[in-house]
Amino acid sequence: MRASSTIYQSPNKLVFRSTVLRQPCFTVTRTGICFPRQHLCRAEYVEPGVDGFNVRTVPATLLTAEKEEAKAVLNLFLRKQGLSNAVASRTINTSEHFIEHLILKLHAAHKTRYLVGRELSTLEIRDTLIPYLESLLEEHGEILVEMVENYPDPPGAEKPKISPTPVSPSLNSKKLKAMARVSEIGADGQLPPQVLYLVDLGLELDQIKLMARKFPAFAYYSLEGKIKPVVEFLLDLGVKRTDIPTILNKRPQLCGISLSENLIPTMIFLENLGVDKKQWAKVIYRFPALLTYSRQKVKATVEFLYELGLTAENIGKILTRCPHIISYSVEDNLRPTAEYFQSMGVDVAVLVYRAPQTFGLSIEANLKPLTEFFLGKGYTMAEIGTMASRYGALYTFSLEENIVPKWEYFLTMGYQKSELVKFPQFFGYSLEERIKPRYAQVKGSGAKLLLNQILSVSEADFNKVLKKRVKKMLDDQEEAASPSST
């Protein structure tokens, strides 16, 4: 089978050539299906004045997985510096050049691994990138975020510029060429066919240009050979036509993945791990990147979930409901978070099943501050562990924007603090739309209800319970006031 490639010539005159390698067939025992062979692109480049070749073997799917790993490491690092999850995510989303720079750092540090076709582990990626990020923090201090977002151009003239790796000058050129290609008007006065097709699907030209900027290869995908078959495949799975633009925006590289050799075998692989095949439309819409991760990455996460004691059925439900969990690093997120909650007496298997998104949070920036908040309010570690066990989503809420305002209102309600241990779901309800108005009704009636009786039922059931409790209260008062009771 032949492999085609586009040759880019950078200012350094790096000459790229493509060859085809083959990976062994992967067999799914349960179904007996043999996955088709994948093709890897071996990029060889020659720099003027350098004898011989530097060879890097980097499969497209592996490169995608490495980028996600690099983003996870950067996200964790930024949050350890005190950034909120929202700010860290925003920084990463606007720092494509820096992410590519981190990938090039990985390749430079581990080129012998790529020569023999071995994939880096999460731990190796972390151990390579974290020391480098720490050196940047020491060098740039409080303007680190600006430096990351503006890489390779530093935010201040006084700060020394980070030296990019030799191939980085070609990145801007690739992105500019890709953006120009998708917006080029042909001899017929029309945009390229694939662009017109995407516009018809609901994408705007500016969105398509941004997709080409994020992933330059997208600009070179043919309509009939790549884009249209993937779109039609997604529609056949039940994905809404109106959801296609969102999916392609999140993961344009999906269109570059072979249906027969990659996408479909990967889906079979995930189905055998428990993903509900009836839910593919929802899963892909939630997290299209799931289909672009290497099987080794997916298997590492699944094996860890088995290690926690989860059943195959529950793992399948987690992957279906929260496919994002595959993007969490086992060593940097899942394992440390599991150990943190285990130290509090939490059943971690139950927690990850109920709230898998908790395991993508930073221990230092998110988990510990909430624990320390409740300790400061007089709760014991065991009580906090009980709260986390009973309401897995508790730690996903913002301390400043959610927990603190509701706690302060709780103090005005006249309940014992132990009520929150019994019903930590209190923090999951809207303060203005549910907690305050319902409690105002209870207080105005003079009746007394438990927190869960006030909040966890529908409006109609709440009114029934309150009416019944008021009637009982009045009956008790009448009975106490009647002569026969004296």
Side-chain angles (χ1 to χ4, degrees), residues 129-149:
L129 297 183
I130 288 182
Y132 176 64
L133 291 172
E134 288 174 345
S135 70
L136 293 182
L137 177 63
E138 183 177 349
E139 179 180 355
H140 295 272
E142 60 186 21
I143 66 164
L144 176 66
V145 171
E146 290 87 345
M147 184 280 296
V148 169
E149 292 178 334

Side-chain angles (χ1 to χ4, degrees), residues 11-135:
N12 289 335
K13 298 181 179 179
L14 306 183
V15 182
F16 288 79
R17 296 196 287 271
S18 292
T19 60
V20 173
L21 303 178
R22 294 189 182 274
Q23 284 185 324
C25 178
F26 182 89
T27 302
V28 180
T29 304
R30 206 178 85 181
T31 62
I33 294 176
C34 180
F35 287 171
R37 300 178 182 275
Q38 295 181 349
H39 297 86
L40 312 182
C41 177
R42 170 176 286 172
E44 301 179 352
Y45 63 85
V46 184
E47 293 187 53
V50 178
D51 294 330
F53 296 95
N54 286 323
V55 182
R56 294 175 184 170
T57 302
V58 187
T61 54
L62 175 55
L63 185 60
T64 299
E66 286 179 343
K67 285 186 178 180
E68 293 304 319
E69 291 276 12
K71 288 179 181 179
V73 171
L74 180 57
N75 184 283
L76 178 66
F77 184 81
L78 292 176
R79 287 158 78 175
K80 282 184 176 180
Q81 311 315 313
L83 273 68
S84 67
N85 184 41
V87 173
S89 298
R90 185 208 67 196
T91 300
I92 291 170
N93 291 336
T94 57
S95 307
E96 297 161 23
H97 293 297
F98 187 73
I99 297 298
E100 290 166 340
H101 171 67
L102 293 180
I103 296 301
L104 291 171
K105 280 286 182 185
L106 278 178
H107 293 176
H110 297 281
K111 54 188 174 183
T112 56
R113 294 292 298 274
Y114 292 97
L115 282 171
V116 296
R118 293 178 61 190
E119 184 175 346
L120 294 180
S121 68
T122 297
L123 186 59
E124 288 173 321
I125 293 174
R126 183 194 66 181
D127 288 346
T128 300
L129 297 183
I130 288 182
Y132 176 64
L133 291 172
E134 288 174 345
S135 70

Side-chain angles (χ1 to χ4, degrees), residues 248-418:
L248 296 186
N249 254 322
K250 289 180 179 178
R251 213 66 172 175
Q253 49 267 60
L254 270 178
C255 292
I257 300 177
S258 167
L259 285 174
S260 61
E261 297 182 4
N262 296 97
L263 270 183
I264 293 175
T266 297
M267 291 172 68
I268 294 173
F269 174 71
L270 288 165
E271 286 171 13
N272 277 274
L273 293 176
V275 172
D276 185 351
K277 61 183 178 182
K278 296 178 182 179
Q279 300 292 322
W280 270 121
K282 292 181 180 179
V283 171
I284 294 173
Y285 178 75
R286 289 171 185 157
F287 192 55
L290 177 65
L291 298 180
T292 64
Y293 281 104
S294 70
R295 290 181 191 134
Q296 181 177 337
K297 167 68 173 168
V298 175
K299 287 175 70 176
T301 300
V302 170
E303 287 171 0
F304 179 74
L305 295 177
Y306 274 122
E307 184 183 323
L308 292 180
L310 286 153
T311 64
E313 181 183 3
N314 285 343
I315 291 174
K317 290 180 179 179
I318 291 172
L319 293 177
T320 303
R321 289 188 289 106
C322 185
H324 296 80
I325 196 170
I326 297 299
S327 67
Y328 304 157
S329 164
V330 171
E331 299 304 325
D332 289 340
N333 298 105
L334 299 181
R335 192 178 302 282
T337 301
E339 292 172 351
Y340 179 77
F341 281 113
Q342 283 170 342
S343 71
M344 297 168 61
V346 175
D347 185 332
V348 177
V350 173
L351 178 61
V352 73
Y353 177 75
R354 290 178 176 173
Q357 64 272 29
T358 303
F359 287 72
L361 300 174
S362 164
I363 292 176
E364 296 298 328
N366 302 101
L367 305 186
K368 284 186 177 180
L370 186 57
T371 300
E372 290 166 0
F373 172 82
F374 283 119
L375 287 173
K377 302 306 177 184
Y379 292 95
T380 66
M381 189 66 82
E383 288 175 325
I384 299 169
T386 299
M387 293 166 71
S389 297
R390 289 177 174 170
Y391 189 46
L394 179 65
Y395 275 81
T396 66
F397 296 130
S398 166
L399 179 58
E400 295 79 11
E401 297 174 9
N402 186 305
I403 302 296
V404 171
K406 291 176 184 176
W407 167 261
E408 291 176 348
Y409 185 74
F410 172 78
L411 293 179
T412 69
M413 298 171 72
Y415 289 96
Q416 296 293 318
K417 290 191 298 182
S418 59

